[in-house]
Amino acid sequence: MAVGGLGSSLLLMSGVVVTVGLCRRLARRRLYSRPLLFAFLVEMFSTFQICACTNELSLLGNVEPKPHTALTLTYGFTVLHGLTLVGSACNPCGTLQPMWGGGTSLSMGGLKIAAQFVAAVLARVFMHFIWSLEMTEPHLGALSQGCSSPMQTTETQAFCIELLFSVVFQLAVLRAESVNPKYRVHLIALLITMLVYAGGNLTGAIFNPALAFSLHADCFYDKFLSYTLVYWIAPCLGTILVAFIWDEIFRRIS
């Protein structure tokens, strides 16, 4: 029999955060002398946390009052991720940027991107297993939804939205590097929440290829080219544009 919805979902997501924190700490203690394996596992654990929690949050969009509850949860968990996943990109776009600037080698960047997509798949499998148990109200019928069709506009508009949001987000991350970390995490969380509010009803406002695949793998299967263009190519193109602008224009001006 299903039990209360919101509280159980919060408990589940908190359990994921605690477990990932323990796994990261264990990896740091035992595998720090093996940098490649350490980097892969830490990035995988971190991305798993974001994907698993966001999968669960996607079921809470209709919790009253709407959209205040969903936006509050988005902000709160974004802050929590920022505080607990320090040093991890959890986003292929966030890994591409230092690769473009030479701050990360091609092999290390590729390793981290691979870890992010492995985590995306593992998080989806894990959450679907939890949902199949139907222990809480939001999980009832969650697996029968199939492709939830986050793209509620034309393909061209969706591409432009994800591209724009990726540009805004990556620029904000670069500009916030000089901000005190305890304030920076709240600024980034506020920005993400604003972007979700502005474009969530049109594309989902994901701007993270690994997260998009974890959330909407069924849609990628049904409409691979469209979803690849909007949720993979557009954010990556936005990141490359930001990296070019930052390196070639802003630094020359400064």
Side-chain angles (χ1 to χ4, degrees), residues 131-151:
W131 294 348
S132 69
L133 301 178
E134 296 189 335
M135 295 185 297
T136 70
E137 184 178 346
H139 298 171
L140 299 177
L143 295 181
S144 63
Q145 295 178 2
C147 175
S148 56
S149 300
M151 202 187 307

Side-chain angles (χ1 to χ4, degrees), residues 24 65 67 220:
R24 280 168 53 95
F220 277 92

Side-chain angles (χ1 to χ4, degrees), residues 2 14 28 36 42 46 70 76 88 90 99 108 113 131 133 140 146 151 169 192 194 199 225 231 244:
S14 299
R28 187 173 292 108
L36 291 179
V42 168
S46 302
S88 296
C90 307
M99 289 174 63
M108 180 60 76
I113 291 174
W131 294 348
L133 301 178
L140 299 177
M151 202 187 307
F169 177 72
I192 290 175
M194 292 171 62
L225 291 178
Y231 293 105
F244 176 78

